[in-house]
Amino acid sequence: MTPLRRRLLILALAVLLLAGVGTGVVLHAASRADRANQPQPGGPTVSTGKLTLDQKGRLAFVNAAAGPHRTAVASVPSTDPRSGRIASDLKCARFYAAAGTGVCLQSNPGVLKQSNRALLLDAGLRTRRTFPLAGTPSRARVSPSGRFVAWTVFVSGESYSSAFFSTRTSVLDTRTMKLTPSLETFSVVKDGKPYHASDINFWGVTFASDDDTFYATLNTASKTYLVRGSLSRRTVTTLVQNVECPSLSPDGTRVAFKKRVLSRTDLWHEYVLDLRTLEETALAERHSVDDQATWLDNHTVAYALPTDGKVGSSDLWSVPADGTGTPRPLIAGASSPAPL
Amino acid sequence: MYLTDRSTPAGADTEPGRRRGPGSKVAPVVLVLGAVSLITDISSEMVTAVLPLYLVTTLGFSPLGFGALDGVYNGVSALVQLTGGHLADRVRNHKLIAGLGYGLSALCKPLLLLVSSFGALGSVLALERTGKGLRTAPRDAMISLSTPPENQGRAFGVHRAMDTTGAMLGPLAAFFILRAAADGYDAVFGVSACVAALGVLVLVLFVPGRRQGGTQTLSISGGRQGAPTLSVPGGRQGVRPDEADAADADAQPDEAGVTDADAQRDEAGAADADEQRDETGAADGKRPIRVREALALLRLPRLRALACCAALLGLTTVSDAFVYLLLQRRAGIGEQWFTLLPLGTAVVFLVLAVPVGALADRVGRRTVFLTGHAGLLAGYALLLWAPATEALPFLVLALHGTFYAATDGVLPATLADIVPRHLRATGLAIVGTSQALARFCCSLAFGAAWTVWGDGPALAGSAVGLLCCAIVAGMVLRPDGGTR
C-alpha cells in the first residue's frame, strides 16, 4: 500500500471533491425549488381570493403551477376551467370536498420522520380537526352528503431498504367525530365466505349517497378486489377482481376504476364498471392512469396524468365515461379535482 | 397490512451502536470497516427515508407493488450472502469481494436518478441489496480475522454500533437536504451517491488487502514481521486424491490446528499483521478453495450445531415489522409514532452493542446469545399479557434492542473459535444464511398463523416455540471445548 500520508491526501481530496458535488446538487435543487415558487411566463394566472366549499358551479383542485400558490387549494369555474385560478392559502398533498366538507392531507419532512396530517375542513376551509397520519398521503374522499371522510396512507414497513409498503385506510364520521383508524378491523366476505388474513390492505374508498354503503379496493394474496362495504355493519364483500381506486358515479350506478394491464407492472388502464351487469368498459385514455378518478357529472370522469417531461407535476384530463370520444386537457398543472 | 421480513443476515446492518473509546482492544481494521459501514449506511438510509414520499409525490406511484419484490428478494439475498462468503475465501481476497459489494450498492445511488419506471426502480433496489448481501460475509470475516478470539464480541459490537450510527444519521441528512431544497429528491440521491462513493474509497484506501508490504495503515501495534507462518489446516501442499478426507482432516485439526494458530496469533499480538499474513499466504501457491471444501465445513460439528441453533432460533424470531405492529395495537400507540418504533430499538442496540459484546467476551458468548433470546421472549410475554401502560412500549423496545445487541454481533463472534481461517467468510455466510432463511420462513409462518388464529395466539405460538428452541439451543451449545 502507498504510504499513509499519500492515502490521507487522496482521501482529503476526495472528500473535497465529493462535498463539492454534493453541495452542487443541493444548490441546484434549491434553486429549482425557488423557481417553482416564481410564476413562469406562459403559466396560468393565479390570484389570491375567497375560496369556499359551498360555491356551486366551481371545480376545486390542488394547484401545481409554478408560483407562490403552488400546492395550494384553488378553484376555477366548472364551465370555463381555463380561466384565472382563485387560490387559497391552504397547502395540501391531496384534497377532496363535497357538500361543504373538505379534507386536506399534508406531508412535511421532519427531523426523525415525515410529519403527515389530515385536516378536516369546514366550508370556509378552516381546520375543524387535525388527525396525525401513520404514513405518506395517498387518497382522500368525502361522502356526497359531507358526513363521512376517508383517507388512505402508505406506511413503509421498515427501515433498511425494505421495499415493502402497506396501506392504511381510515374513515371519519364528522358528525360524531368517531374515527375508524383502519378498515382492516371490518369483517371480510370473500367469494361468499368469511375471510381472515394478515396481509389485507384497503385503499381508495368511495362513498354512496346513503351514508352507509362504500366501495374500496381490497388487496390480499397479491390480488386486488372491488369490495362493497357497509359502515354501520362494519363488513365488506368482494365483487370483482383487478379493481383499484374505485370512484362511484353521482347516480350510484357505475364505478370508474384503474385496472392493472400486466401483473407486477405499474401500468393501469382506466375503466368503468356497471354495478348491475358487472360489465367493464375501457375508457379512451391510452396513458397509464394512476389516480382515483373523479366524476365531474354522470357522463365525464377527470383524472391526473404526469406532465410530460416535468417530474413531480401533473395535469388534469377528462374523458367520456362511456368509452367514446378522446381525452381532453381539463386544467394544466393541477391534481386532486373536486367538483363543488 | 402486508408484511414481509427484511432479510437480516447475521451481520446485516440491523440496528444500533455508539462508538466508545474502543481502546487498543479493537484492531484498526475493525474501526475502518466500522467507518465504511457507517458512511455506507448514511447513504442508504437517506434514500430509504425519502423513498415512499418520492414514489408518491414525484413519480406518482402507488408503492404497494414492492411487497412482492421484497418477499422474493429475501431468498435471493440469503443466497447472495453465501456466494459472497464463498467467493471471498475462494479468491482469498475478502477486501476485493467486500469492495465489489460496496461498489455495487454505491453505483445504484446515481441510477436512482435515472429510473422513472416501477420495474426499473425495483431492479435498482434489488441490485442495491445484492451488493449488501455480497459484502456481508467478507466484511465480517475481515473483522473476525483481525481480532484475537478473546476480543471478538467487542470488535463486532464496535462495528455494529458504528453501523447503526450511520443508519440513524441517514434520515437526518435527508431531512436537512429536503429542508434546503423543497422536493429535492434528486439532491438526496445525488448526495447519497457521493457519500456511498466516499465509503468505498475509505475501504479501498485503508483496509489492508492482499498486497505485500504495508499493513502499517493505521497500525497501532506494529506487526511482528517474521512470525511463524500458520499451518492452516486444509491448506496443505499436494492435492489429496480424496477431498472429503481432507475435509475430515479439517474437522479434527479444527481443535488442534486452529487453536494452535490462535495461540500463535495471540503471541504475535498484531491482528492486522496477522491478517496480512493470512491474506498474502494465498500467494504461496496454495490451491484455491473449492466448493466441496467449503461444503465440508458442514462436517465441523460445532459449526453445524451453531448454524442449526441460529436457524432454530430464527424460526421463532418474529420479524420486526410484526413486533412493531403488535406493539402499536397492544399499547394503543398513536399513528404518528408508528414510524418511530424502529428508532427505539435502534437506540437501545446502539448503546448496548459494545458493552454487551465485551460482556460476551468475558462471561461467554453462548450465555449472552441465549440471554438475548430470553430478553426477546420477555418482550413477547409483555406484548401478550402486560397491561397497556405508558411504560409498555419503552420496555418492549428496550428488550428488543437488547436482543439485537446480544445476538447480532455475538453470533459471528463465536465463529472465530470454530471455523478455520481460510474458510472464515464461508463459515460466517453459512451461519448468517441459515438464520436469515429461517427468519424469512418464520415471517411466512407467522403471517399464516395470524391469518388462522389472530395476532395474539400467533405470538403465543412463537413464544412457546422460542422457549423450546432456546432450551434445545442451550443444550446443543454446551460449553465444551471452550466455545464460550
Side-chain angles (χ1 to χ4, degrees), chain B residues 45 95 114 136 158 222-223 289 335 350 373 380 390 437 484:
Chain B
E45 288 304 304
K95 180 181 173 179
L114 306 177
T136 300
V158 167
I289 310 286
E335 296 279 274
L350 185 132
H373 282 88
Y380 289 177
E390 290 285 302
L437 284 179
R484 298 215 312 170

Side-chain angles (χ1 to χ4, degrees), chain A residues 1 4 7-8 10-11 14-15 18 21-22 25-26 28-30 32-33 70 94 107 109-114 132-134 136-139 154-168 170 181 184 196-201 203 258 260 264-266 268 290 311-312, chain B residues 1-4 6 13-15 41 45 48 52-53 55-56 58 60-64 66-68 70 95 118 128-129 167 172 175 178 180-184 186-187 191 194 198 201-202 204-208 211-212 214 217 320-321 324-325 328 335-336 338-340 343 447 450-451:
Chain A
M1 277 202 162
L4 181 59
R7 276 178 286 142
L8 284 172
I10 295 172
L11 182 70
V15 167
L18 292 170
V21 173
V25 296
V26 174
H28 172 74
R32 191 191 53 216
R70 202 172 57 91
R94 290 278 189 275
S107 178
V111 175
L112 292 174
K113 59 180 183 66
Q114 272 168 235
L133 300 176
T136 309
S138 167
R139 308 285 174 218
F154 289 113
V155 185
S156 53
E158 300 221 57
S159 166
Y160 293 101
S161 321
S162 163
F164 131 72
F165 298 87
S166 63
T167 59
R168 274 187 211 188
S170 314
E184 286 158 38
H196 303 275
S198 61
D199 70 345
I200 285 181
N201 282 294
W203 64 89
K258 60 183 180 112
R260 213 175 265 267
R264 299 273 173 102
T265 64
D266 57 330
W268 288 275
D290 185 0
V311 159
Chain B
M1 66 300 304
Y2 179 96
L3 291 168
T4 39
R6 69 160 191 259
D13 332 270
T14 315
E15 257 109 280
D41 254 29
E45 288 304 304
T48 308
L53 208 56
L55 290 174
V56 176
T58 304
F61 285 168
S62 310
L64 273 166
F66 280 125
D70 205 48
K95 180 181 173 179
F118 196 74
E128 209 263 344
R129 296 174 71 187
L172 204 64
F175 163 71
L178 287 182
D183 297 334
D186 53 346
V191 172
C194 293
L198 185 68
L201 190 74
V202 171
V204 170
L205 287 177
F206 297 103
V207 173
R211 296 183 41 198
Q212 308 282 357
T217 342
D320 296 4
Y324 301 136
L325 210 65
Q328 193 193 10
E335 296 279 274
Q336 70 273 37
F338 180 70
T339 43
L340 283 185
L343 206 68
W450 182 318
T451 299

Side-chain angles (χ1 to χ4, degrees), chain A residues 177-247:
Chain A
M177 284 298 167
K178 184 175 174 297
L179 178 73
T180 304
S182 173
L183 281 185
E184 286 158 38
T185 53
F186 280 32
S187 47
V188 178
V189 176
K190 182 168 153 292
D191 308 323
K193 289 190 287 290
Y195 180 79
H196 303 275
S198 61
D199 70 345
I200 285 181
N201 282 294
F202 285 99
W203 64 89
V205 166
T206 182
F207 294 99
S209 49
D210 62 0
D211 274 343
D212 182 52
T213 308
F214 68 92
Y215 294 85
T217 299
L218 178 152
N219 172 279
T220 181
S222 312
K223 291 195 175 71
T224 59
Y225 301 85
L226 174 67
V227 292
R228 178 189 283 131
S230 160
L231 292 170
S232 58
R233 292 198 301 276
R234 300 175 58 83
T235 57
V236 300
T237 311
T238 59
L239 300 175
V240 278
Q241 264 198 45
N242 198 357
V243 170
E244 290 180 67
C245 296
S247 173

Side-chain angles (χ1 to χ4, degrees), chain A residues 299-320:
Chain A
H299 314 288
T300 321
V301 294
Y303 48 90
L305 285 180
T307 306
D308 284 342
K310 267 221 306 229
V311 159
S313 179
S314 65
D315 302 322
L316 289 177
W317 292 73
S318 69
V319 73

Side-chain angles (χ1 to χ4, degrees), chain B residues 132-156:
Chain B
K132 195 187 186 80
L134 203 60
R135 69 190 179 233
T136 300
R139 181 200 63 206
D140 280 355
M142 285 191 280
I143 296 171
S144 182
L145 290 169
S146 63
T147 306
E150 66 275 14
N151 290 335
Q152 291 278 332
R154 177 189 292 266
F156 276 102

